[in-house]
């Protein structure tokens, strides 16, 4: 007996990446414009936040809000504390409840799931019932930045991106046959693979470096600055050794504690994403180029959204192959 053909279920997976997550909005806008509506939406960390707004039918209003954020507004959501994490996260989630969505996930207009991590066991936790605001708060609890979330069952939950930054497996478990995954960390190493870029040679060494060294048989001929090739100073600096003429090491600007933590988490998530996606690859991967954005650049939403739109348009031909 022949099996009846059914329409495949489409799952959308929104990955972690802190402020780079605003790129998800651009991806979702393009999918809407193309008439692509997923049956399931899942997210980790910032992907859970944007995914919840989308599942609630609030994407347009949410996009307007994030693009209105400046540095002042971002800092206004920071409720500092001294234990568990830098921020309690209550101001942000209270704003979310009152302005966007606070309902049970079971009642969501679109099937929704979020990923968190059990801080005690390291287990991956799938959040598919209960308050959608509580699920988002748990999924975005980046260690060191947000305080963990204490659940009624005794679990202490932190950011889902620690164990599953692009939760394709959750979308499969929720019935998705075709999965579109948005990976925000695909090019993250591009930002950190140029260590010489942060070296600061001593002023006297830099002044000496700007003068061309004469060859053995040619007189010294200075090169006017206007005739130098573009970015000549940066290119020359990249070739300089990390030592002064005096033999002392070049001065490097030390990163802050937060920079170290956030960069380490980004690299960790990129590595985990590669491993998890190799074992359970999505059918379509949309990978915005976001290495130029810092993890806390929440005030640069317009740039992230535009890059999300560009990446989504680039991925449409691949998606159409599976939707025919």
């Amino acid at each position: 007996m022949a099996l009846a053909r059914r329409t495949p279920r489409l799952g959308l997976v929104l990955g972690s990446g802190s402020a780079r997550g605003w790129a998800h909005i651009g991806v979702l806008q393009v999918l809407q414009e193309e008439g692509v509506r997923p049956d399931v939406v899942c997210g980790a960390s910032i992907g859970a936040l944007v995914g919840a707004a989308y599942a609630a039918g609030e994407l347009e209003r949410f996009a307007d809000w994030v693009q209105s954020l400046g540095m002042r507004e971002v800092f206004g959501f920071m409720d500092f504390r001294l234990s568990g994490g830098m921020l309690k996260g209550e101001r942000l989630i209270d704003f979310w409840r009152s302005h966007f969505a606070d309902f049970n996930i079971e009642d969501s207009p679109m099937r929704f799931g979020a990923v968190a991590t059990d801080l005690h066991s390291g287990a991956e936790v799938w959040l598919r019932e209960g308050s959608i605001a509580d699920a988002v708060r748990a999924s975005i609890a980046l260690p060191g930045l947000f305080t963990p979330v204490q659940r009624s069952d005794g679990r202490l939950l932190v950011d889902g991106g620690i164990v599953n930054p692009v939760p394709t497996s959750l979308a499969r478990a929720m019935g998705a046959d075709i999965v579109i995954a948005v990976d925000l960390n695909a090019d993250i190493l591009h930002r950190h693979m140029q260590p010489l870029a942060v070296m600061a040679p001593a002023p006297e060494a830099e002044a000496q470096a700007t003068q061309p060294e004469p060859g053995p048989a040619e007189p010294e001929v200075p090169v006017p600055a206007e005739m130098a090739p573009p970015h000549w100073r940066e290119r020359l600096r990249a070739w300089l050794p990390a030592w002064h003429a005096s033999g002392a090491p070049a001065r490097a600007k030390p990163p802050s504690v937060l920079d170290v933590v956030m960069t380490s988490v980004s690299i960790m998530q990129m590595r985990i994403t590669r491993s998890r996606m190799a074992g359970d690859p999505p059918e379509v991967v949309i990978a915005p180029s976001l290495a130029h954005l810092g993890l806390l650049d929440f005030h640069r939403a317009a740039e992230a959204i535009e890059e999300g739109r560009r990446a989504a348009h680039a991925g449409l031909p691949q998606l159409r192959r599976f939707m025919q």
Side-chain angles (χ1 to χ4, degrees):
M1 182 174 108
L3 295 176
R5 181 179 175 85
R6 67 173 177 83
T7 302
R9 296 188 185 92
L10 180 63
L12 179 63
V13 177
L14 305 179
S16 62
S18 198
R20 300 184 186 114
W22 297 151
H24 289 315
I25 296 173
V27 173
L28 291 167
Q29 289 173 342
V30 170
L31 294 180
Q32 283 188 335
E33 292 164 6
E34 294 292 322
V36 177
R37 179 177 173 81
D39 302 287
V40 174
V41 59
C42 304
S45 194
I46 191 71
L49 178 68
V50 178
Y54 180 58
E58 295 280 7
L59 182 65
E60 184 176 349
R61 212 158 57 85
F62 186 71
D64 291 340
W65 173 67
V66 301
Q67 290 181 89
S68 72
L69 292 176
M71 290 294 294
R72 182 186 300 273
E73 289 77 15
V74 172
F75 279 111
F77 285 109
M78 295 185 178
D79 41 6
F80 294 95
R81 63 175 300 162
L82 298 177
S83 62
M86 289 178 58
L87 308 175
K88 290 188 293 184
E90 298 305 319
R91 289 183 186 174
L92 174 61
I93 212 65
D94 287 346
F95 181 87
W96 170 269
R97 292 182 196 275
S98 61
H99 289 78
F100 294 107
D102 186 19
F103 52 81
N104 285 337
I105 295 174
E106 303 93 314
D107 301 326
S108 173
M110 181 181 295
R111 298 190 69 186
F112 173 80
V115 176
T117 304
D118 188 313
L119 187 61
H120 292 145
S121 68
E124 180 178 339
V125 180
W126 290 350
L127 305 173
R128 295 188 288 177
E129 58 185 21
S131 166
I132 196 169
D134 288 346
V136 167
R137 173 64 182 88
S139 190
I140 66 172
L142 186 67
L145 185 62
F146 286 106
T147 57
V149 172
Q150 182 78 53
R151 300 278 285 185
S152 58
D153 58 4
R155 282 181 161 181
L156 201 59
L157 302 184
V158 294
D159 196 301
I162 294 174
V163 291
N164 200 351
V166 186
T168 301
S169 55
L170 175 54
R172 302 274 191 214
M174 294 177 66
D177 302 301
I178 298 172
V179 175
I180 306 170
V182 184
D183 180 9
L184 303 178
N185 298 313
D187 69 336
I188 194 64
L189 284 185
H190 294 181
R191 182 182 176 94
H192 306 291
M193 287 181 67
Q194 300 175 2
L196 291 180
V198 300
M199 305 306 291
E204 62 274 11
E206 183 175 354
Q208 293 175 7
T210 60
Q211 298 298 327
E213 184 175 343
E218 295 180 3
E220 180 178 353
V221 180
V223 179
E226 62 272 14
M227 295 179 60
H231 312 298
W232 64 273
R233 186 185 297 270
E234 288 75 16
R235 293 183 182 180
L236 183 59
R237 184 173 296 165
W239 284 95
L240 286 174
W243 294 87
H244 299 159
S246 62
R251 297 189 303 272
K253 180 182 178 182
S256 67
V257 172
L258 188 58
D259 285 337
V260 172
V261 171
M262 299 296 277
T263 299
S264 300
V265 169
S266 293
I267 294 173
M268 175 194 69
Q269 290 183 348
M270 182 272 295
R271 296 293 186 185
I272 295 173
T273 298
R274 289 183 179 180
S275 177
R276 295 294 299 259
M277 289 177 66
D280 189 4
E283 280 66 37
V284 179
V285 177
I286 296 176
S289 298
L290 300 165
H292 63 290
L293 293 179
L295 287 175
L296 298 180
D297 285 343
F298 291 100
H299 59 291
R300 299 172 66 182
E303 297 174 57
I305 291 173
E306 185 58 34
E307 176 55 28
R309 291 185 60 87
R310 186 208 62 76
H313 279 296
L316 286 177
Q318 185 183 7
L319 176 60
R320 292 190 181 109
R321 289 174 46 223
F322 290 99
M323 300 301 293
Q324 292 176 351

